[in-house]
Every structure is written in C-alpha cells, then in structure tokens.
Amino acid sequence: MSAAIKIGIVGYGNLGRGVVSAIGQNPDMELVGVFTRREPASFGSEGGLTFLHVSDLEGYKDRIDVLILCGGSATDLPEQGPFFSKSFNTVDSFDTHAKIPEYFEQVNDSALTAGKVAVISTGWDPGLFSINRLMAESILSEGTDYTFWGKGVSQGHSDAIRRVQGVKGGVQYTVPVNEVIDQIRQGQTPELSTRQKHLRQCFVVAQEGADQEQIRQEIVSMPNYFSDYDTTVTFISEEELRRDHSQMPHGGFVIRSGVTGTNTRQIIEYSLKLESNPEFTASVLVAYARAAYRLNKEGASGAKTVFDIAPGYLSPKSAAQLRKELL
Amino acid sequence: MSAAIKIGIVGYGNLGRGVVSAIGQNPDMELVGVFTRREPASFGSEGGLTFLHVSDLEGYKDRIDVLILCGGSATDLPEQGPFFSKSFNTVDSFDTHAKIPEYFEQVNDSALTAGKVAVISTGWDPGLFSINRLMAESILSEGTDYTFWGKGVSQGHSDAIRRVQGVKGGVQYTVPVNEVIDQIRQGQTPELSTRQKHLRQCFVVAQEGADQEQIRQEIVSMPNYFSDYDTTVTFISEEELRRDHSQMPHGGFVIRSGVTGTNTRQIIEYSLKLESNPEFTASVLVAYARAAYRLNKEGASGAKTVFDIAPGYLSPKSAAQLRKELL
C-alpha cells in the first residue's frame, strides 16, 4: 500500500467530529489535524487529536493532501471554499441548492488557478441522492421523479420553533408520508402537493406559564416552515427532550417510476436510513476526499461535483480488484 | 442541439428489441440499423426498421457512433466484443462474472488499438447493482453487504426445468425472502445461507401421461440449480403458462448495513422493480452508449466498466444544467 492520504479538517462541529471518526475507519487515510477558528488550546487533547488555528493552515500546504471543509453553507463555506481551494484539494458539503451554480464558478476559478481539485456539494442530498436522480432520469427518460426526506431532524425547522415566544426548547422531525410512497412503489405516479408528501412533527418544551395553545397556533401557521404542511405539536418536558430527542437520525427516498416499451412500468428506488445524519455525511465526504486526491494525482483540477466523478475513485481498491470482486 | 448519436444494434432478440424501443425514447439518438446473423430479408419491414447482415458492418464504420451488442454472454459476446471494438465504440452486457477480468483485457486491447471506447458488462447486475455495491462499501467501510434478486424469471433455471424428462414447458421465478430483507432493514446483519436468501418457484407443464411426482423430485434435487434452495413446483396447463407467465419481470435489492462512530447504524438500499428485465437492461445500455460516445469524443479509449464512468456522461443535459436542476 502506498503512503496514507493526509487529511486536514476545517471546523469541529458535528460534521467535523464525524470526519475524524470516518478517517479512523479508513486505513488508507491519516488525520493531520483539526483546524478551528476557536482557541486550539480550549480543546485540550480531546480524543488525542491535534488542534490548530485555521490561520496556521498556510504552513501545511505541503503536509496535507486534502482539506475537508466542515463549516456551514450559510456563512462558512461561501468564504472558505473559494479561499482554501487556492492552496489545497478540498471537499465540502455546500447545500444551498439555489446558490450552487455561483458557488461552483467561484471555487472552480480558485482550484483551476491553483491546479487543485475541489469537490463541492457532496454528502447525501446534494450528493448521493443527486446521483440517483440523474442516473434514474437518464435510464428511464420517460418517468416521474420523487424525493422524500426523513424521518429525520431538520435543523432549520427546529431553529424556527425555538424562536417562537414562550418556547424553551424543541426539535422538529420531517416525516415522509408512507402511504404515498407505497402507492408509488405499486406503480402509481400521483401529482403530489407539499402537504401530501411530508408531515412535520414538533416536540416542544414550553416555558413555565406560557400559553401552549398560542405556541401551537404560532408554529402551525408559520409561513414557509409549517403552514403548507400537516404539523403536529407535542409538548414535552426538558428531561424528555434530552432523553428522547438528542439523536440526529435522518434519511429518505429517491424514487423514479418510468415506462419503457409499450407502457411497461419500471421502478428505481434508492433509500437511506441513518441513525446519525452528520456521521453519515462525514463518511461520504471522506470517500470523496479519496477521489479528490486521486483525481488531482492524475492531473485533474477545478471544481467537481458528484456528477463528474466516476464511482471507482471512491474506493481504495484497484480497478482490476473492483472488476473482479464487485462488478 | 448537436447532431444525434448514431446507433447500430447487433442482435435482435429481446434485448435488441428493447434497445430499439429505448432509442425511440431518447431524442438525442438515432437508430442506423439492426445487424443480424440471420437473413435480413426474413424480418421484412418489421417495425419500420432497417435490417442488415452483420457482415455489412464493415461498411458502416463512419456511419455509426456506437454499436450496442445485444448477444448473449455464453457464445456471442466473447467473440463479438473483442471483434467489433476494433472498429466501433461498443456497449455490451457481458454478465459471466467469473470471466469479466479476462473479457475486459481482450476488449481493452482491441479498443485501445482502435482508439475506441468499449463499455463492457453494463445493465443492472452487473451494472447499476455493481455501482451501488462499490459506493456503499466505499462510504460505509465497516459493514455487511447483501444482494437479493427477484421476484423475477431466471432464464437459466427455466431452461434447466425444460430439460427434465416429461416436461413440456416451464418457467422459474427467483423470489427473495422478504422476512430476511425486513430484518436487514431493521438493522440486523444476519449471516445467510443460500437457502435463507431466495426461494425458487417453478411452474411446469407436464407432458401427457408423465409422472408429476417424479418430475417434481428431479427438479428439487437438481444440483447447482435447485438442491440448495427451497423449491416449489406447481403444475399448470399450457394455456396458463402462456397467459400468466409470458412476461419477464425481475428486480432486486442491494443493501449495505454499516456502522459509523460508536456503533451508529446506517443503512443504504438500492432496489429495482421491473416489469420487463430486457427492456430495462436495454435502457441502461442506451444511457451508457451516450457515455461511450462522449468519452470517445473527449479522446478516451479502451475498455470501461460502470466503475470508470462519471454519472454526468449518462445524461443528455450539460454539466451546468445538471448542477442547476439535479444536484
């Protein structure tokens, strides 16, 4: 085996922790350090890791093969993606769908100039789900596509709940409507409104003395977040919130129902059932870090998405081994 | 839109017919002709198609962009793959797993010398299932993999039934054991024997006066084909065989159940539910014909498998359009 791929991590939230763990599961990878904007010393020797300040990255240009960017899409990545791809091969999970084309262009400029590979917008959606949408549409050119998410915690919706007056804490689950998924699996291709595809379940801790009915009303009628959905609000104690709702499960389904020949029905389905959304996303990022490293070794540069990367690059196995064992 | 991709088909069985139909669903493709070893005139003007003899292909080198080889893996493709990739970009569905490495080398030699691209062993297994095995294993490096087939007609097993003395006709369905799949979906990772994964259901037409019990015994005890499985044999009439068993449904599941972090369970599942196996396989071949054409245009040559081809090549849409619409 050749030398391990040297990985740097920027950001140490849930995703960054997941990447640390995933690197430990892949013997062809080695963690150089975790780079943070906080005071590195504040982490002590947590997990036996090396913490460094992001401003030190400059000195690591020749010591890191791929930098995995674990910041958020709202404010971190729009700065970090274009900046770090000037010096490193990078991988990120930028997921603001509407801004992907613009983000791609910026990162592409940096990475092309630097001769580096920057894999953007990977994870499971965008990422694995996108690949499945593309492949299913390319194979069944006449058909209907469905993406369902959940059951899983939506961070954005949970934040929205917590901003309601009188709310002390809470969490929101996006729940796909299984009856509809079953219909599609049976070959039906219904046109579905937002309300028919997903439910929203809120678990809320109210402040002492708060009017629960008023909180409920405010949540279910909130535009963009809840008003287009059937939303349930269940009041629970702080203890229950901590005990029963501290995990971050997620998942979902991509289904294409198409026809070939004379109305022959063909159904392709891809699904994920995840006990931890950030740990799974991290595992996807690490596999794409391997791809970024190998593509760059072969002379590739510029921004890449999951659409641009052949599956074989994700595996530590050789092409001959893959043909023999997995084809 | 640029000029259509010009496709030739070699072989006009179920798969070849499926390819004709799939080309009709893809406006960026155009069928030049169907090449057969039989007497082309014997097809008349079936489906308004142009039938030509395979020996005429020589004259079509500059008039066909991609040749889709629709022969069988036992005797047709081992000859046709290495031969036609000397003159054309090709796509085939070679599925004799044990011989793939050898077949790859032969086709690769021809295609490299000719400067052509030859996509081998595509379809759904090998093909889409292989991609999913590879990606799931690369992402969840600690885990267990399961592939189930069916419910679907197995041609090889149906042929085996028909060779039994006293049998006039018959068909065999491979049926996955759903209880086991449900266990795996719930997070269990059982070690499964052959018998625990699939059942075999045989529908048999006996010759007049034949001993049905003897036929049943001979089928269920047949080594390699049936003896390792729970096999049911149901005797039916010729009329029932024609009426109820003339379709070629198939499908299956690829499931990987893995762990990340501290024993966090993550499950990836890919499944197909197909009313027609050959029509679906044909649709996959046609999407990969697009990829072969584009890769060759970019200067690539040699044998390729689904592992070597980035998803974006399968779609008629531009990379920018894919990022905007499907990522």
Side-chain angles (χ1 to χ4, degrees), chain A residues 25 130 133-134 137 185 259-260 264-267 269 271 273-276 279 307 311-312 317 327, chain B residues 25 130 134 137 185 259-260 264-267 269 271 273-276 279 307 311-312 317 327:
Chain A
Q25 291 183 302
S130 320
R133 283 188 288 262
L134 183 158
E137 173 187 288
R185 285 188 186 135
V259 291
T260 59
T264 309
R265 179 65 50 188
Q266 316 274 22
I267 298 174
E269 177 172 344
S271 69
K273 190 175 167 186
L274 311 174
E275 283 186 358
S276 165
E279 286 180 13
F307 297 154
K317 296 179 177 173
L327 198 63
Chain B
Q25 290 184 303
S130 320
L134 183 158
E137 173 186 287
R185 286 189 184 134
V259 291
T260 59
T264 309
R265 180 64 50 187
Q266 316 273 21
I267 298 173
E269 177 173 343
S271 69
K273 190 175 168 189
L274 311 174
E275 284 186 358
S276 165
E279 287 180 12
F307 297 155
K317 297 179 176 172
L327 199 64

Side-chain angles (χ1 to χ4, degrees), chain A residues 21 25-26 97 100-101 104-105 121 125-126 128 130-135 137-142 185-186 259-261 263-276 279-280 283-284 287-288 290 305-312 314-315 317 322-324 326-327, chain B residues 21 25-26 97 100-101 104-105 121 125-126 128 130-135 137-142 185-186 259-261 263-276 279-280 283-284 287-288 290 305-312 314-315 317 322-324 326-327:
Chain A
S21 170
Q25 291 183 302
N26 286 281
H97 283 265
I100 285 175
F104 178 89
E105 293 304 334
S121 301
D125 197 359
L128 304 180
S130 320
I131 292 176
N132 277 280
R133 283 188 288 262
L134 183 158
M135 292 190 66
E137 173 187 288
S138 302
I139 291 161
L140 297 174
S141 45
E142 291 180 32
R185 285 188 186 135
Q186 294 313 313
V259 291
T260 59
N263 222 12
T264 309
R265 179 65 50 188
Q266 316 274 22
I267 298 174
I268 303 176
E269 177 172 344
Y270 183 78
S271 69
L272 297 172
K273 190 175 167 186
L274 311 174
E275 283 186 358
S276 165
E279 286 180 13
F280 185 79
S283 296
V284 179
Y288 276 96
R290 180 180 292 121
T305 74
V306 293
F307 297 154
D308 307 314
I309 296 173
L314 301 177
S315 173
K317 296 179 177 173
L322 290 175
R323 284 193 294 272
K324 190 158 185 273
L326 291 176
L327 198 63
Chain B
S21 170
Q25 290 184 303
N26 287 281
H97 283 265
I100 286 175
F104 178 89
E105 293 305 334
S121 300
D125 196 0
L128 305 180
S130 320
I131 292 175
N132 278 280
R133 283 189 288 262
L134 183 158
M135 292 190 65
E137 173 186 287
S138 302
I139 290 161
L140 296 175
S141 44
E142 290 180 32
R185 286 189 184 134
Q186 295 312 313
V259 291
T260 59
N263 222 12
T264 309
R265 180 64 50 187
Q266 316 273 21
I267 298 173
I268 304 176
E269 177 173 343
Y270 183 77
S271 69
L272 296 172
K273 190 175 168 189
L274 311 174
E275 284 186 358
S276 165
E279 287 180 12
F280 185 78
S283 297
V284 178
Y288 277 96
R290 181 181 291 122
T305 74
V306 294
F307 297 155
D308 307 314
I309 297 173
L314 302 177
S315 174
K317 297 179 176 172
L322 290 175
R323 285 193 294 272
K324 191 160 185 271
L326 290 176
L327 199 64

